[in-house]
Structure formats: structure tokens, C-alpha cells
Amino acid sequence: MSGLAILIPVALLMGLCGLAFFFWAMRNDQFEDLDGAAQRVLIDEEEEPS
Amino acid sequence: MNAITPLGDAQSQSVVSRFAVPAIRCAGCIAKIENGLSGVPGILSSRVNFSTKQVAISHLPELDDDQLKKQIEALGFEAQILADNPLSEEKGSTDKLIRALAVAGFGMMNIMLLSVSVWSGATGVTRDLFHWLSALIAIPVIAYSGRPFFASATMALRYGRTNMDVPISIGILLATGLSLYETATGGAHAYFDGAVMLLFFLLAGRVLDGMMRDRAREGIGALLKQAAPGAMVVTDDGTTNWVATRDLRPDMRMMVAAGGNLAADGVIEKGSSSFDCSLMTGESEPQPKGEGDIVLAGTLNLSSPVVVRVTATGEDTSVADIARLMDEAGQHRSFYVRVADRAARYYAPAVHSLALLAFAYWMIVGAGWHQSLLIAVAVLIITCPCALGLAVPAAQVVASGALLRKGVMVKDGSALERLAEVDYALFDKTGTLTLGHPVPVNLDDLNLTQKQIALALSQASHHPISKAIRAALLAQDITPAMLDRVEELPGEGMSACWHGMPVMLGKPEQSEDHLASQLSVGSDKIVLQLKDEIRPEAPEALARLQAMGLPASIISGDNIRSVSLVATALDIPAQAGASPQDKVEAITGLAASGHKVLMVGDGLNDGPALAAAHVSIAPGSASDVGQQAADAVFTSESLMPVALSVKVARRTMQIVHQNFALAIGYNIIAVPLALTGMVTPLIAAIAMSLSSLIVVGNALRLNGAAK
């Protein structure tokens, strides 16, 4: 029982963290272009024109 | 003021323009566009959205959309300007749904974790503790994630109607309330997991539906903006001043420069010129107009300045008439009942009566109100339309995704449903069956000097033929010759002097069957032939439509000569010289004889017809009005997407019907179990997820439908 008293709050907290991260990602338009993200991996990094 | 603007300042005054670039296919294209544009002065940043095949460019206001479009085209990609979209604000509603979905998912997983312990045999205090914990998670989750349903249900009830959300809300609230009571009294079964899972699956359906709408909306442009924002008005004392369109009054006299759009309808008082009326009439050749002729708002003055006495402004112009016609024609569509709504109409009362009957039956048998209510709630939960709610949107999202990859944007799910029903296809000609811009075919008959002269002459004119010749010559890297005394003769062409020799680009001396222009240098005369090419794969697309039981015909506002050329080439019947009103009448006539018409068109003059047809498709090159009125937009040059859309739509409806059959079949098995009181939360959870997964899996088969 004492194990549960720690594990269940930990599980819930971790879940809430995940949820918070998801909300953060959504607010930052991380899901706008899912196919593009997959393609961009293939682009060679070039010197940024400064 | 030529100091370098600090970056912060530059960004604060930057403008974002969007372009559709259908040819983006790979990572290389992304890199090419983004790197290529970053070197252009005035462009602050550019971002390619691969999923929607769009490029968003943030730039200084000095650069206008046409220049940006040219920049993209210089990189080797065809681009279309996307106007700012007033509908894009609605995107927020999908975001809200996704948040609700995420919360429901979080709640579902945690409650399920606790439920599994209960199912695997936790008893006594442990079970009670877990039930309380579930309640603690479930109640805020339901309060948050259930809002879309509760809001819609109360709205419906307030107006004395009922929709799918009413049984959903009742089911969820009853299940939660009963589970709370069970928990408080230390009962064996609680349905928190069921209630939250229900929300999760239903929200998934809503999110899919919303995503589909957003995706298409992002690509589809804006409203009437064909008429000019204002005009130069000549006052009685001869001075001119600029007056905004809304302040124009009849009997004002406006100066319309060559290349200018008309802001109002009017009669030409002084001067003569040729006008591009294709927007209004669909006629591809410019119309010469002189004193006393009527000219309409939105048409383009091509050759020389004229003075026009205003006869009608604002709401009274022909453009506004077309908008009104479109509005009327679009009315009938609001009567269309979507498949899901039709199903809900029968489903909701049936489920409610069933639950009520179960409750009454068990009361009569003497099971006690607690037991009877539990069974009734089990019936509500197990019949709750999870699979039904997913059946339609899942299929439509997968299908529209498949179509999007082929360059067709479908505006909403009902468009796919209506597309599946069509049995007759009407095509506009210019810009729809043809590419809509003439291309010179025999340029290479000219030598270099002649090309240079032709370019110099064509550069000075707004005539569509001149534009076509100019574009073709520029593509060959020709530099223009130096000319003196360049002059435009309305209805005739451009004339000038080249090293003292008269040169001219204009109407051919012998009247030709199709678009042509004649270049004369001294006594040399060469006729340049132009052709408005038929879209690639048009015959194949028409043959495919025919094979699917859709006979096609042309209805065009253009003159009979150019229409018959295309009609013979494609071997389909045609009607020429049709006004926007005629097109609508043709469609209502066909509809009256029981046909469901697919209209494919692009121009402003097709707007009312596109709105009147059962379903309509516009090419990406269409006017904003055309895109606005159409249910789907295809961005490729080929006509094949039209046939493909019909095929995919029909396949989608097959899958939707299969999904309905699956959902109903599941109920036939599950409902008797619930009625006899054998459904525990465990069985409800398994049944619900299983039916939803099967439906989604079936919908995924559509991924390959657009091959």
C-alpha cells in the first residue's frame, strides 16, 4: 500500500508533464507540417547567411 | 533615409504572403526554395509547409505578391498567390478539440491503469481507493474534454432540436453520476473508464473532421476583390483626383488608364480601347469598345486611356450581381444532409428508447432501481456512437489526405459525399479545359532581330496576346530592341519606329481561325500563331469520367469559334456564349431532370454555376471567386485530378457504408448482452475500443485509393 502511495502520484505527475509538453508543442506550431519535418532531416545544413 | 534599417524595425513592418506551390515533392525542393528566396533583397524569411505545399514568405511591404511569385518561378516552381483567408480564424476550434483530445487521452490512460487493477481482482479498500482515484481524474477530465459535446447539446436542446451530441452528453453524464454513486457506496463497478474512453474516441472523430476542413481552408482564397479599389475622377474644371470605389456616384466621370481595372459600371465618353472582359463573360479575346459602349466593373482596360461616365456603383454593378446570383445559387446546398447526420437522426431516438425500455423492463421484473439504472447506463455506453462517430470522418480524412497528395484540396466532408453522387459533368472552357493562357507556337519562324522587335513592342501592351509573346520571348533570354514612337492603336495593335523603319505587332490582315498576331518589320510580315493549349491528359480524364457514368459537356461564355475548336478536339458537346445566368439555368435544368451535376470551372463568371451545381471543382489557377465557390480545388496542370476525385469519393462512400455496417453489426452483438445485464465495465471497454479500431483500420484502406 505504501508503494502505491508513491507510485500513483508519480504516474499521474508524469502523465501531467507529458500533457503539459504536448500543449507547449501545440502552442509553438510543432504539428503544422509533419511531413515537412520528416523531409527536412535530409537537407544538408548550410552556412546561414548572416 | 537610406540608412540600413535595423532588423527589429524591418521585421515590425514585414508582411507575410502565402503561395501554393504544388510542385514541392522532396527535401531538395524545400531547400531550393528556402535558400533561393533567402538571397532575395527584401525577403526576410521564407518557410515551406510541405504538408500543404505552401510557402509563407515574410517580406518588406515594398515587394508585392507578383514580384514574389516571379521569384519563386525563377527557382523553377510554379506558384499561385493565396489571398488572406477570412476563414482561417476558425482553425482555433480544431486546436481546442485537439487539446480536449489530449486531456481525454491522458485521463483515459491513467484511469485504465487503475481499472485494470480492479478488473484483475482488487477488492475491498484497494478497489474503493482506486475508484476514488479514478473519480478524481475523471471528473475534471470530463468537465474539460466534454465541453464541445455539452455546449452543442445544450444549444440543440435550447432550440428544441436534438443532435448526436444529446445522447452522448446524457450517456456520459449518467455514467459519471452513477459511477460516483457506486464509488461512494463502495459498489463493485464504476464506469469512469468507459465514460472517458467514449469521450476520447468521439473527440478523435471530431478532430479528424476538423483537420480535414482546416487543411483545405488553408489553401483556399478570399472574396470579391475584382473591382478596383478606386478611380481617378475628372472634375468639371478638368482636374483629377482619386476617389475610393465606395464614394463613386453615378454620373461621375472617371479616367481609366491602360492596364487599369474599372471600379464601376459605366459608358465610355471619350476615347476607345480594348477591354479584357474574360472575367465577366469568359470570352478570351479582348473586346474593342468605343464611345457610347458599356463597360463593366472588374474588366481590364488594355490599350489606351478612356474617360468613362459612371452608371452603376457598388451593389448595382454587374460584379455585385454575380455575387448575388452566387449567393442564391448556393442556398440549395444548405439543405444537403450529411450521411452522419442522417444516421444520427434515426440512431439517437432508437438508443434512448432502448435504454429506457431496458430500465422499465428490469424495474418491472423487480431488479430494483439501482440495478435497472446500471443496466440502462450500460446500454447507453455500449451503444454510444463511438464507431459511428468515427465511421465518416476517419474515412473522409484518409481519402482527402490521399487526394491532397495528388494535388486536390477538398473543402469538407460533405463535398466528398456529394462528389460520389454526381452523374453529369459540365466544364467551362477557358482556364478549365484549356490552360487559360495562350502560348505562341511558331516563335522560331522569327530571326533574332525580329524577336527583339517583337519583345519591345509586346512589352508596351497589356493585351493578353502581347503578354503571351513577351513571356515566351523572355523565356528565351531575348533583350528588347530600342524603338521610337511606340504607339498603341486600339483594336489594331502596337506600332513604332525602328531605325526609321515602321514596325508593327497587331491584328493579322487575313482573319484567322484562332488567336494570332502579325509582326511586320518594313515589308516583312510574319503571322505568329498562338494556342490556348488544352490541359494535359484532358482526353484521358474525360474518358475516365465517361467510363464512370459521367457524360461531359462544355458550357462556356466564350465565342462559338474558340469553343468549337476545343469541343471537336475533345469530341464532346458544347454550348457557347453562355452568361453566368445561362450556366446556372443549364444546371438547374439538368437537376430538374434528375441529374446531379459536377461543375468544373474557374472564372468569376462561373461562380454562380459552381455554387449552383451539386458539387464543383475549380483549378488552382481559378479566380478567388471560383475557388471560393468550388467544393474542391486541384493545383496541377493536368485535368486528371477531376476524374480521380470522383473515383476516390465513390470509394470513400463505399468505405463509409461498410463502416456503418460494421458499427451496426457490433451493436447487434453488444446490445443484447447489455440488455441482459451481462456487460461489466471491462466488457464495455473492450467492445468499444475494438469497434473503433476496426472502423479506423477499414478507413485506412483508402490511403491507396488515389492511385
Side-chain angles (χ1 to χ4, degrees):
Chain A
M1 228 17 204
S2 60
L4 286 181
I6 300 167
L7 287 177
I8 289 176
V10 167
L12 279 176
L13 208 68
M14 281 165 63
L16 277 174
C17 278
L19 197 65
F21 275 123
F22 178 77
F23 274 27
W24 171 84
M26 252 188 63
R27 223 193 327 274
N28 286 284
D29 292 341
Q30 295 290 312
F31 303 105
E32 286 294 290
D33 183 15
L34 295 172
D35 301 335
Q39 296 283 336
R40 279 172 198 276
V41 179
L42 303 171
I43 301 176
D44 289 329
E45 282 299 324
E46 283 190 24
E47 300 278 306
E48 282 284 309
S50 54
Chain B
M1 286 302 281
N2 284 335
I4 298 162
T5 344
L7 192 64
D9 197 28
Q11 260 162 357
S12 68
Q13 46 174 281
S14 70
V15 189
V16 177
S17 301
R18 291 172 184 285
F19 297 86
V21 185
I24 300 176
R25 289 222 171 76
C26 60
C29 307
I30 300 178
K32 204 170 156 196
I33 291 177
E34 288 186 353
N35 295 336
L37 288 177
S38 69
V40 177
I43 291 181
L44 300 170
S45 66
S46 60
R47 177 89 185 170
V48 173
N49 187 328
F50 189 81
S51 318
T52 49
K53 314 267 188 230
Q54 288 178 12
V55 183
I57 301 175
S58 147
H59 58 94
L60 297 179
E62 287 92 270
L63 282 171
D64 67 20
D65 286 353
D66 277 326
Q67 284 168 301
L68 291 168
K69 186 177 165 194
K70 287 205 183 88
Q71 288 293 347
I72 302 176
E73 277 163 2
L75 295 168
F77 294 91
E78 190 156 317
Q80 282 138 18
I81 301 164
L82 292 174
D84 264 343
N85 191 346
L87 291 173
S88 62
E89 287 151 22
E90 290 192 24
K91 194 171 183 302
S93 71
T94 310
D95 275 1
K96 226 179 270 169
L97 281 175
I98 294 180
R99 285 205 191 95
L101 179 72
V103 171
F106 157 79
M108 182 180 83
M109 284 189 285
N110 284 292
I111 296 172
M112 207 53 87
L113 209 68
L114 300 165
S115 298
V116 170
S117 320
V118 176
W119 295 333
S120 37
T123 46
V125 191
T126 321
R127 187 185 64 200
D128 284 350
L129 175 70
F130 282 4
H131 276 170
W132 274 117
L133 277 171
S134 301
L136 208 67
I137 304 166
I139 287 165
V141 166
I142 287 172
Y144 182 84
S145 301
R147 279 180 315 173
F149 302 101
F150 302 151
S152 152
T154 43
M155 196 62 143
L157 287 177
R158 188 174 301 158
Y159 291 98
R161 289 179 293 115
T162 151
N163 57 12
M164 203 66 150
D165 293 332
V166 176
I168 291 169
S169 302
I170 293 177
I172 289 170
L173 290 177
L174 258 180
T176 317
L178 193 78
S179 305
L180 261 181
Y181 176 82
E182 283 285 290
T183 307
T185 55
H189 296 305
Y191 282 99
F192 291 118
D193 52 348
V196 176
M197 189 156 64
L198 201 76
L199 269 181
F200 179 78
F201 282 127
L202 290 167
L203 281 168
R206 295 286 158 94
V207 167
L208 289 176
D209 204 36
M211 265 166 51
M212 162 159 184
R213 253 171 258 183
D214 287 347
R215 206 151 40 171
R217 277 216 188 100
E218 275 168 16
I220 292 168
L223 290 160
L224 280 173
K225 52 165 195 193
Q226 305 298 334
M232 295 301 291
V233 169
V234 189
T235 50
D236 290 332
D237 56 7
T239 56
T240 57
N241 53 334
W242 196 84
V243 174
T245 301
R246 62 169 181 283
D247 295 327
L248 284 173
R249 295 283 170 269
D251 284 334
M252 281 182 167
R253 283 152 65 231
M254 52 181 186
M255 247 329 244
V256 184
N261 263 316
L262 266 78
D265 291 0
V267 176
I268 298 181
E269 233 175 33
K270 215 163 81 189
S272 63
S273 176
S274 49
F275 287 82
D276 181 355
C277 308
S278 59
L279 205 63
M280 306 293 294
T281 59
E283 195 140 0
S284 51
E285 278 169 43
Q287 305 296 303
K289 303 254 172 162
E291 278 167 37
D293 284 340
I294 294 167
V295 283
L296 301 176
T299 56
L300 184 67
N301 178 13
L302 291 169
S303 41
S304 51
V306 288
V307 175
V308 174
R309 189 168 51 81
V310 176
T311 53
T313 58
E315 286 297 292
D316 306 322
T317 58
S318 303
V319 180
D321 271 345
I322 290 189
R324 228 179 341 260
L325 201 57
M326 232 166 91
D327 209 35
E328 282 163 22
Q331 295 292 330
H332 81 279
R333 271 206 202 142
S334 49
F335 294 116
Y336 188 84
V337 184
R338 296 183 57 172
V339 172
D341 295 340
R342 259 178 285 170
R345 198 174 285 174
Y346 302 108
Y347 195 78
V351 167
H352 277 173
S353 335
L354 207 63
L356 202 67
L357 278 176
F359 180 73
Y361 171 80
W362 284 97
M363 281 299 275
I364 293 164
V365 174
W369 73 267
H370 178 235
Q371 182 67 20
S372 311
L373 198 61
L374 248 157
I375 291 172
V377 167
V379 170
L380 273 183
I381 287 193
I382 209 143
T383 54
C384 222
C386 283
L388 217 55
L390 282 171
V392 181
Q396 286 174 347
V397 162
V398 178
S400 72
L403 279 174
L404 194 71
R405 280 194 290 281
K406 294 283 171 181
V408 186
M409 294 184 287
V410 184
K411 271 196 198 165
D412 67 15
S414 83
L416 275 175
E417 291 172 15
R418 283 179 277 130
L419 202 51
E421 296 171 352
V422 291
D423 58 3
Y424 199 90
L426 277 179
F427 286 87
D428 174 45
K429 184 190 72 80
T430 318
T432 305
L433 284 173
T434 67
L435 289 171
H437 44 89
V439 186
V441 283
N442 59 339
L443 259 192
D444 292 319
D445 292 357
L446 305 181
N447 60 34
L448 184 62
T449 331
Q450 287 169 331
K451 280 183 183 174
Q452 287 174 338
I453 295 168
L455 178 58
L457 283 168
S458 61
Q459 271 181 341
S461 165
H462 297 282
H463 197 285
I465 292 181
S466 293
K467 278 191 189 164
I469 294 175
R470 179 173 68 225
L473 287 171
L474 283 175
Q476 295 187 358
D477 281 332
I478 307 286
T479 45
M482 295 299 288
L483 301 179
D484 304 322
R485 286 187 280 147
V486 182
E487 220 184 327
E488 180 150 16
L489 312 168
E492 291 298 320
M494 306 293 302
S495 74
C497 266
W498 178 68
H499 297 315
M501 203 196 300
V503 291
M504 168 130 188
L505 181 71
K507 226 162 134 180
E509 277 159 21
Q510 290 104 348
S511 157
E512 292 285 331
D513 256 352
H514 28 252
L515 300 162
S517 183
Q518 179 177 278
L519 177 71
S520 37
V521 180
S523 56
D524 292 346
K525 288 185 171 48
I526 301 153
V527 174
L528 285 170
Q529 304 283 356
L530 287 102
K531 234 172 110 182
D532 188 3
E533 299 253 17
I534 291 174
R535 273 184 193 270
E537 298 186 284
E540 292 91 330
L542 292 177
R544 274 223 209 164
L545 284 174
Q546 180 83 45
M548 284 188 286
L550 272 84
S553 68
I554 301 176
I555 185 158
S556 171
D558 210 343
N559 59 50
I560 190 136
R561 225 177 29 187
S562 36
V563 172
S564 66
L565 260 174
V566 176
T568 23
L570 293 170
D571 194 22
I572 52 175
Q575 181 186 345
S579 70
Q581 183 72 49
D582 292 341
K583 292 191 183 191
V584 173
E585 272 163 18
I587 287 170
T588 43
L590 279 164
S593 60
H595 283 295
K596 302 229 153 111
V597 181
L598 162 67
M599 174 77 202
V600 189
D602 71 324
L604 176 60
N605 59 325
D606 296 317
L610 290 168
H614 192 59
V615 63
S616 50
I617 303 180
S621 52
S623 64
D624 290 337
V625 180
Q627 297 196 1
Q628 185 78 18
D631 292 302
V633 175
F634 66 96
T635 46
S636 68
E637 291 225 310
S638 156
L639 197 64
M640 211 43 135
V642 175
L644 192 71
S645 320
V646 177
K647 185 186 139 205
V648 172
R650 290 192 176 174
R651 185 91 188 94
T652 309
M653 286 323 282
Q654 274 176 14
I655 296 274
V656 163
H657 288 140
Q658 282 172 13
N659 277 350
F660 276 140
L662 282 169
I664 290 166
Y666 146 82
N667 275 328
I668 290 173
I669 299 169
V671 167
L673 288 177
L675 286 175
T676 49
M678 282 164 64
V679 172
T680 60
L682 175 62
I683 295 176
I686 293 173
M688 240 173 347
S689 7
L690 206 66
S691 68
S692 297
L693 285 177
I694 292 174
V695 164
V696 171
N698 193 32
L700 283 175
R701 294 199 298 145
L702 279 168
N703 247 328
K707 290 252 163 64

